[in-house]
Amino acid sequence: MTAVRADRQLVAAETPSTAERTGTRRSRRRGVPVPYDFRRPTKLSRQHARVLEITYEGFCRQWATLLSSTLRTTVQVELDGIQQYSYDEYAASLPMPTVMAVFDPEPLVGAAVLHVDIGFVLSSIERMLGGTGTNAQPSRQLTDIEAVLARGLVERTLVELSSSLATVTDLKPKLTAIDQNPAFAQAAAATDVMIVSAFHLQIEGVTGTATLAMPLDPLSAALTAAELRVASPEELRVRRLMRDRLDDHLENIPVDVSVRMKAAQMRPDEILSLIPGDVLRLPHRADEPLEVVAQGASVASAVAGTRGAKLACLIVPTPEENAR
């Protein structure tokens, strides 16, 4: 009995920076491959991601209109992409200092974050106070007066966000805090999964970035509920039919299965010294069940046997099940 091991290629992605996130969507438009980490598969369905894209593109237009009227100049806001990260990864990717607005996205459970880089905020505040806003902005924390102006701008932005998400949920965001150091903002647990949307902002040559992080599970539930509200009975029937057909096809897909013993560990010099006729001692006890493996994953335990002239195995309870 030989074990068949399936080789897998993983495209490792490091913790994303703000620049990497904001370049994702533009890379796709240019046809440039975007790294995908198979160890962290996205939990947001393709259909829900498309709905969010359309929703946030509408938010971009409304946000651009708000900023243009507030700053008395043309402002462009563009959606750069939607990605999935843990809160710890997201917070670690934000610069310091920055403007990180934590808000309660009622009726969704949890907390959400709207982040805008400090340079763009300072340039906007300079325009609000009568300046040109074109000078290079220092990397520093906001003063008390600047913090009040930034808070007002964030609150009006959240109103536009609520309007954009009206088709998904009756969002009533409540701003709870504005932090300038991401390390001090405890918006969620480190392992909580967030859907992070990146935006590109531009005012007469001055560019900036912004991100919107929403909790995945409550947002997915709201998208599913909204989808059911707008779907007709015929659409629901077709979806159920397609899902049943998909399940039927998945059940009949052939999968390579092998039965193997425990592997023996050897030094490189021992392997190089092997010659035909050598016998290797395996660390597998005679009374210990074998491991049934499918595509590299252990799925059951078995004992060896025969069926007619062919080798076979009998599925038996796993050691964990026997211990219960």
Side-chain angles (χ1 to χ4, degrees):
M1 290 175 290
T2 58
V4 180
R5 182 174 60 85
D7 292 334
R8 300 178 179 177
Q9 291 183 344
L10 300 180
V11 181
E14 296 179 355
T15 301
S17 64
T18 303
E20 289 171 339
R21 289 199 310 269
T22 55
T24 299
R25 186 175 177 84
R26 277 176 283 179
S27 296
R28 287 175 181 166
R29 291 176 178 174
R30 294 193 300 265
V32 178
V34 177
Y36 180 85
D37 191 347
F38 290 92
R39 293 168 299 184
R40 299 184 308 171
T42 178
K43 298 180 180 179
L44 190 68
S45 68
R46 185 182 299 271
Q47 187 172 0
H48 286 174
R50 181 56 185 158
V51 171
L52 277 184
E53 274 193 25
I54 297 173
T55 301
Y56 285 147
E57 284 172 355
F59 170 60
C60 287
R61 292 190 291 270
Q62 293 181 239
W63 196 8
T65 301
L66 168 66
L67 292 176
S68 297
S69 60
T70 302
L71 305 180
R72 300 179 301 279
T73 187
T74 303
V75 180
Q76 296 179 349
V77 182
E78 179 184 4
L79 176 66
D80 276 333
I82 300 175
Q83 298 291 329
Q84 169 188 304
Y85 302 110
S86 68
Y87 176 76
D88 189 50
E89 291 173 332
Y90 170 66
S93 69
L94 298 180
M96 201 283 291
T98 190
V99 175
M100 186 177 178
V102 181
F103 65 95
D104 183 5
E106 292 185 2
L108 304 183
V109 179
V113 175
L114 175 65
H115 149 260
V116 185
D117 68 67
I118 194 71
F120 186 86
V121 172
L122 289 174
S123 178
S124 300
I125 291 176
E126 183 178 339
R127 289 180 179 275
M128 293 168 65
L129 297 178
T132 61
T134 58
N135 300 322
Q137 302 296 332
S139 178
R140 60 170 176 80
Q141 293 193 348
L142 301 176
T143 64
D144 292 342
I145 295 178
E146 291 169 342
V148 172
L149 294 175
R151 186 182 186 90
L153 195 59
V154 168
E155 288 176 339
R156 280 175 285 171
T157 300
L158 294 181
V159 172
E160 300 301 330
L161 176 64
S162 173
S163 176
S164 301
L165 290 174
T167 57
V168 176
T169 182
D170 185 20
L171 191 69
K172 298 178 181 178
K174 294 182 179 180
L175 183 62
T176 57
I178 292 184
D179 294 292
Q180 299 182 53
N181 188 340
F184 296 152
Q186 300 298 326
T191 57
D192 286 354
V193 182
M194 311 291 286
I195 294 300
V196 180
S197 306
F199 303 91
H200 178 74
L201 312 173
Q202 184 170 357
I203 309 176
E204 294 183 357
V206 177
T207 61
T209 58
T211 56
L212 174 64
M214 300 281 285
L216 170 66
D217 292 338
L219 185 59
S220 296
L223 288 168
T224 301
E227 185 179 8
L228 294 176
R229 287 197 302 269
V230 300
S232 65
E234 178 63 19
E235 289 175 329
L236 294 177
R237 186 190 69 81
V238 172
R239 290 176 188 174
R240 285 194 294 268
L241 178 61
M242 297 303 294
R243 184 172 60 250
D244 293 341
R245 288 180 178 177
L246 180 61
D247 292 341
D248 292 340
H249 282 79
L250 287 175
E251 290 179 356
N252 298 320
I253 294 177
V255 178
D256 291 333
V257 178
S258 60
V259 180
R260 68 186 182 191
M261 300 179 180
K262 283 187 177 179
Q265 294 185 350
M266 300 180 63
R267 300 192 307 272
D269 62 323
E270 294 175 331
I271 297 176
L272 294 175
S273 65
L274 290 175
I275 60 175
D278 284 348
V279 177
L280 297 180
R281 183 181 180 87
L282 299 178
H284 197 103
R285 300 197 314 268
D287 60 345
E288 187 174 358
L290 306 176
E291 187 179 21
V292 181
V293 180
Q295 300 296 331
S298 178
V299 296
S301 296
V303 294
T306 60
R307 184 172 185 177
K310 296 182 178 180
L311 292 174
C313 65
L314 176 67
I315 303 298
V316 297
T318 62
E320 292 78 9
E321 293 172 338
N322 288 327
R324 292 175 183 173

PDB file of all heavy atoms in Angstrom, residues 26-43:
ATOM      1  N   ARG A  26      -7.053  48.397  -8.943  1.00  0.00           N
ATOM      2  CA  ARG A  26      -6.438  48.947 -10.149  1.00  0.00           C
ATOM      3  C   ARG A  26      -5.564  47.911 -10.836  1.00  0.00           C
ATOM      4  O   ARG A  26      -5.441  47.888 -12.059  1.00  0.00           O
ATOM      5  CB  ARG A  26      -5.629  50.195  -9.794  1.00  0.00           C
ATOM      6  CG  ARG A  26      -6.509  51.447  -9.716  1.00  0.00           C
ATOM      7  CD  ARG A  26      -5.711  52.646  -9.263  1.00  0.00           C
ATOM      8  NE  ARG A  26      -5.493  52.589  -7.829  1.00  0.00           N
ATOM      9  CZ  ARG A  26      -4.810  53.510  -7.166  1.00  0.00           C
ATOM     10  NH1 ARG A  26      -4.268  54.510  -7.811  1.00  0.00           N
ATOM     11  NH2 ARG A  26      -4.664  53.416  -5.870  1.00  0.00           N
ATOM     12  N   SER A  27      -4.936  47.005 -10.065  1.00  0.00           N
ATOM     13  CA  SER A  27      -4.150  45.928 -10.669  1.00  0.00           C
ATOM     14  C   SER A  27      -5.038  45.013 -11.485  1.00  0.00           C
ATOM     15  O   SER A  27      -4.678  44.558 -12.564  1.00  0.00           O
ATOM     16  CB  SER A  27      -3.431  45.134  -9.576  1.00  0.00           C
ATOM     17  OG  SER A  27      -2.495  45.952  -8.902  1.00  0.00           O
ATOM     18  N   ARG A  28      -6.237  44.725 -10.962  1.00  0.00           N
ATOM     19  CA  ARG A  28      -7.149  43.866 -11.698  1.00  0.00           C
ATOM     20  C   ARG A  28      -7.574  44.518 -13.000  1.00  0.00           C
ATOM     21  O   ARG A  28      -7.733  43.870 -14.021  1.00  0.00           O
ATOM     22  CB  ARG A  28      -8.381  43.569 -10.835  1.00  0.00           C
ATOM     23  CG  ARG A  28      -8.078  42.591  -9.681  1.00  0.00           C
ATOM     24  CD  ARG A  28      -9.277  42.433  -8.792  1.00  0.00           C
ATOM     25  NE  ARG A  28      -8.970  41.513  -7.695  1.00  0.00           N
ATOM     26  CZ  ARG A  28      -9.738  41.391  -6.625  1.00  0.00           C
ATOM     27  NH1 ARG A  28     -10.819  42.126  -6.512  1.00  0.00           N
ATOM     28  NH2 ARG A  28      -9.422  40.537  -5.669  1.00  0.00           N
ATOM     29  N   ARG A  29      -7.793  45.829 -12.964  1.00  0.00           N
ATOM     30  CA  ARG A  29      -8.200  46.515 -14.186  1.00  0.00           C
ATOM     31  C   ARG A  29      -7.113  46.463 -15.247  1.00  0.00           C
ATOM     32  O   ARG A  29      -7.401  46.442 -16.444  1.00  0.00           O
ATOM     33  CB  ARG A  29      -8.552  47.974 -13.868  1.00  0.00           C
ATOM     34  CG  ARG A  29      -9.833  48.109 -13.037  1.00  0.00           C
ATOM     35  CD  ARG A  29     -10.070  49.557 -12.662  1.00  0.00           C
ATOM     36  NE  ARG A  29     -11.316  49.698 -11.913  1.00  0.00           N
ATOM     37  CZ  ARG A  29     -11.715  50.830 -11.363  1.00  0.00           C
ATOM     38  NH1 ARG A  29     -10.961  51.909 -11.448  1.00  0.00           N
ATOM     39  NH2 ARG A  29     -12.858  50.889 -10.722  1.00  0.00           N
ATOM     40  N   ARG A  30      -5.845  46.465 -14.827  1.00  0.00           N
ATOM     41  CA  ARG A  30      -4.746  46.402 -15.790  1.00  0.00           C
ATOM     42  C   ARG A  30      -4.417  44.962 -16.172  1.00  0.00           C
ATOM     43  O   ARG A  30      -3.537  44.726 -16.992  1.00  0.00           O
ATOM     44  CB  ARG A  30      -3.500  47.060 -15.197  1.00  0.00           C
ATOM     45  CG  ARG A  30      -3.631  48.556 -14.963  1.00  0.00           C
ATOM     46  CD  ARG A  30      -2.261  49.153 -14.694  1.00  0.00           C
ATOM     47  NE  ARG A  30      -1.658  48.564 -13.522  1.00  0.00           N
ATOM     48  CZ  ARG A  30      -1.733  49.086 -12.301  1.00  0.00           C
ATOM     49  NH1 ARG A  30      -2.432  50.184 -12.107  1.00  0.00           N
ATOM     50  NH2 ARG A  30      -1.135  48.494 -11.273  1.00  0.00           N
ATOM     51  N   GLY A  31      -5.106  43.984 -15.585  1.00  0.00           N
ATOM     52  CA  GLY A  31      -4.840  42.594 -15.899  1.00  0.00           C
ATOM     53  C   GLY A  31      -3.634  42.032 -15.189  1.00  0.00           C
ATOM     54  O   GLY A  31      -3.105  41.004 -15.590  1.00  0.00           O
ATOM     55  N   VAL A  32      -3.181  42.686 -14.113  1.00  0.00           N
ATOM     56  CA  VAL A  32      -2.015  42.214 -13.368  1.00  0.00           C
ATOM     57  C   VAL A  32      -2.479  41.186 -12.338  1.00  0.00           C
ATOM     58  O   VAL A  32      -3.458  41.410 -11.627  1.00  0.00           O
ATOM     59  CB  VAL A  32      -1.299  43.383 -12.655  1.00  0.00           C
ATOM     60  CG1 VAL A  32      -0.116  42.876 -11.848  1.00  0.00           C
ATOM     61  CG2 VAL A  32      -0.850  44.417 -13.679  1.00  0.00           C
ATOM     62  N   PRO A  33      -1.822  40.022 -12.249  1.00  0.00           N
ATOM     63  CA  PRO A  33      -2.231  39.003 -11.267  1.00  0.00           C
ATOM     64  C   PRO A  33      -2.150  39.550  -9.845  1.00  0.00           C
ATOM     65  O   PRO A  33      -1.220  40.256  -9.488  1.00  0.00           O
ATOM     66  CB  PRO A  33      -1.231  37.866 -11.484  1.00  0.00           C
ATOM     67  CG  PRO A  33      -0.708  38.077 -12.868  1.00  0.00           C
ATOM     68  CD  PRO A  33      -0.702  39.565 -13.084  1.00  0.00           C
ATOM     69  N   VAL A  34      -3.146  39.194  -9.031  1.00  0.00           N
ATOM     70  CA  VAL A  34      -3.194  39.613  -7.637  1.00  0.00           C
ATOM     71  C   VAL A  34      -2.961  38.391  -6.751  1.00  0.00           C
ATOM     72  O   VAL A  34      -3.605  37.359  -6.945  1.00  0.00           O
ATOM     73  CB  VAL A  34      -4.560  40.249  -7.297  1.00  0.00           C
ATOM     74  CG1 VAL A  34      -4.626  40.627  -5.830  1.00  0.00           C
ATOM     75  CG2 VAL A  34      -4.803  41.465  -8.181  1.00  0.00           C
ATOM     76  N   PRO A  35      -2.011  38.442  -5.796  1.00  0.00           N
ATOM     77  CA  PRO A  35      -1.752  37.272  -4.936  1.00  0.00           C
ATOM     78  C   PRO A  35      -2.994  36.848  -4.160  1.00  0.00           C
ATOM     79  O   PRO A  35      -3.763  37.692  -3.697  1.00  0.00           O
ATOM     80  CB  PRO A  35      -0.653  37.765  -3.986  1.00  0.00           C
ATOM     81  CG  PRO A  35      -0.013  38.907  -4.712  1.00  0.00           C
ATOM     82  CD  PRO A  35      -1.112  39.560  -5.494  1.00  0.00           C
ATOM     83  N   TYR A  36      -3.191  35.555  -4.044  1.00  0.00           N
ATOM     84  CA  TYR A  36      -4.312  34.998  -3.284  1.00  0.00           C
ATOM     85  C   TYR A  36      -3.761  33.940  -2.339  1.00  0.00           C
ATOM     86  O   TYR A  36      -3.040  33.031  -2.770  1.00  0.00           O
ATOM     87  CB  TYR A  36      -5.340  34.372  -4.224  1.00  0.00           C
ATOM     88  CG  TYR A  36      -6.537  33.781  -3.514  1.00  0.00           C
ATOM     89  CD1 TYR A  36      -7.610  34.584  -3.165  1.00  0.00           C
ATOM     90  CD2 TYR A  36      -6.586  32.427  -3.202  1.00  0.00           C
ATOM     91  CE1 TYR A  36      -8.706  34.062  -2.515  1.00  0.00           C
ATOM     92  CE2 TYR A  36      -7.677  31.885  -2.548  1.00  0.00           C
ATOM     93  CZ  TYR A  36      -8.740  32.713  -2.207  1.00  0.00           C
ATOM     94  OH  TYR A  36      -9.833  32.187  -1.560  1.00  0.00           O
ATOM     95  N   ASP A  37      -4.078  34.056  -1.075  1.00  0.00           N
ATOM     96  CA  ASP A  37      -3.581  33.123  -0.068  1.00  0.00           C
ATOM     97  C   ASP A  37      -4.636  32.041   0.150  1.00  0.00           C
ATOM     98  O   ASP A  37      -5.695  32.301   0.713  1.00  0.00           O
ATOM     99  CB  ASP A  37      -3.305  33.872   1.245  1.00  0.00           C
ATOM    100  CG  ASP A  37      -2.544  33.015   2.246  1.00  0.00           C
ATOM    101  OD1 ASP A  37      -2.458  31.796   2.001  1.00  0.00           O
ATOM    102  OD2 ASP A  37      -2.037  33.563   3.229  1.00  0.00           O
ATOM    103  N   PHE A  38      -4.355  30.811  -0.308  1.00  0.00           N
ATOM    104  CA  PHE A  38      -5.300  29.722  -0.176  1.00  0.00           C
ATOM    105  C   PHE A  38      -5.461  29.263   1.269  1.00  0.00           C
ATOM    106  O   PHE A  38      -6.377  28.506   1.581  1.00  0.00           O
ATOM    107  CB  PHE A  38      -4.860  28.544  -1.054  1.00  0.00           C
ATOM    108  CG  PHE A  38      -5.011  28.817  -2.529  1.00  0.00           C
ATOM    109  CD1 PHE A  38      -3.962  29.345  -3.255  1.00  0.00           C
ATOM    110  CD2 PHE A  38      -6.200  28.569  -3.166  1.00  0.00           C
ATOM    111  CE1 PHE A  38      -4.100  29.615  -4.606  1.00  0.00           C
ATOM    112  CE2 PHE A  38      -6.354  28.828  -4.515  1.00  0.00           C
ATOM    113  CZ  PHE A  38      -5.302  29.352  -5.246  1.00  0.00           C
ATOM    114  N   ARG A  39      -4.556  29.683   2.142  1.00  0.00           N
ATOM    115  CA  ARG A  39      -4.702  29.337   3.554  1.00  0.00           C
ATOM    116  C   ARG A  39      -5.750  30.195   4.230  1.00  0.00           C
ATOM    117  O   ARG A  39      -6.193  29.893   5.332  1.00  0.00           O
ATOM    118  CB  ARG A  39      -3.352  29.506   4.263  1.00  0.00           C
ATOM    119  CG  ARG A  39      -2.299  28.531   3.806  1.00  0.00           C
ATOM    120  CD  ARG A  39      -0.926  28.911   4.315  1.00  0.00           C
ATOM    121  NE  ARG A  39      -0.502  30.223   3.838  1.00  0.00           N
ATOM    122  CZ  ARG A  39       0.689  30.748   4.077  1.00  0.00           C
ATOM    123  NH1 ARG A  39       1.565  30.073   4.788  1.00  0.00           N
ATOM    124  NH2 ARG A  39       1.013  31.936   3.602  1.00  0.00           N
ATOM    125  N   ARG A  40      -6.158  31.297   3.598  1.00  0.00           N
ATOM    126  CA  ARG A  40      -7.180  32.178   4.156  1.00  0.00           C
ATOM    127  C   ARG A  40      -8.245  32.424   3.102  1.00  0.00           C
ATOM    128  O   ARG A  40      -8.343  33.514   2.545  1.00  0.00           O
ATOM    129  CB  ARG A  40      -6.564  33.501   4.610  1.00  0.00           C
ATOM    130  CG  ARG A  40      -5.525  33.369   5.694  1.00  0.00           C
ATOM    131  CD  ARG A  40      -5.048  34.726   6.134  1.00  0.00           C
ATOM    132  NE  ARG A  40      -4.624  35.539   5.019  1.00  0.00           N
ATOM    133  CZ  ARG A  40      -4.333  36.819   5.097  1.00  0.00           C
ATOM    134  NH1 ARG A  40      -4.460  37.433   6.243  1.00  0.00           N
ATOM    135  NH2 ARG A  40      -3.927  37.494   4.046  1.00  0.00           N
ATOM    136  N   PRO A  41      -9.054  31.415   2.757  1.00  0.00           N
ATOM    137  CA  PRO A  41     -10.064  31.607   1.714  1.00  0.00           C
ATOM    138  C   PRO A  41     -11.110  32.613   2.140  1.00  0.00           C
ATOM    139  O   PRO A  41     -11.471  32.703   3.315  1.00  0.00           O
ATOM    140  CB  PRO A  41     -10.680  30.210   1.552  1.00  0.00           C
ATOM    141  CG  PRO A  41     -10.428  29.548   2.873  1.00  0.00           C
ATOM    142  CD  PRO A  41      -9.112  30.075   3.359  1.00  0.00           C
ATOM    143  N   THR A  42     -11.586  33.400   1.188  1.00  0.00           N
ATOM    144  CA  THR A  42     -12.578  34.413   1.502  1.00  0.00           C
ATOM    145  C   THR A  42     -13.896  33.765   1.875  1.00  0.00           C
ATOM    146  O   THR A  42     -14.299  32.753   1.290  1.00  0.00           O
ATOM    147  CB  THR A  42     -12.777  35.368   0.314  1.00  0.00           C
ATOM    148  OG1 THR A  42     -13.799  36.329   0.643  1.00  0.00           O
ATOM    149  CG2 THR A  42     -13.204  34.615  -0.933  1.00  0.00           C
ATOM    150  N   LYS A  43     -14.556  34.308   2.880  1.00  0.00           N
ATOM    151  CA  LYS A  43     -15.839  33.788   3.325  1.00  0.00           C
ATOM    152  C   LYS A  43     -17.007  34.585   2.750  1.00  0.00           C
ATOM    153  O   LYS A  43     -18.159  34.290   3.045  1.00  0.00           O
ATOM    154  CB  LYS A  43     -15.906  33.812   4.858  1.00  0.00           C
ATOM    155  CG  LYS A  43     -14.850  32.938   5.529  1.00  0.00           C
ATOM    156  CD  LYS A  43     -14.972  32.998   7.035  1.00  0.00           C
ATOM    157  CE  LYS A  43     -13.923  32.129   7.715  1.00  0.00           C
ATOM    158  NZ  LYS A  43     -14.017  32.187   9.186  1.00  0.00           N
TER     159      LYS A  43
END
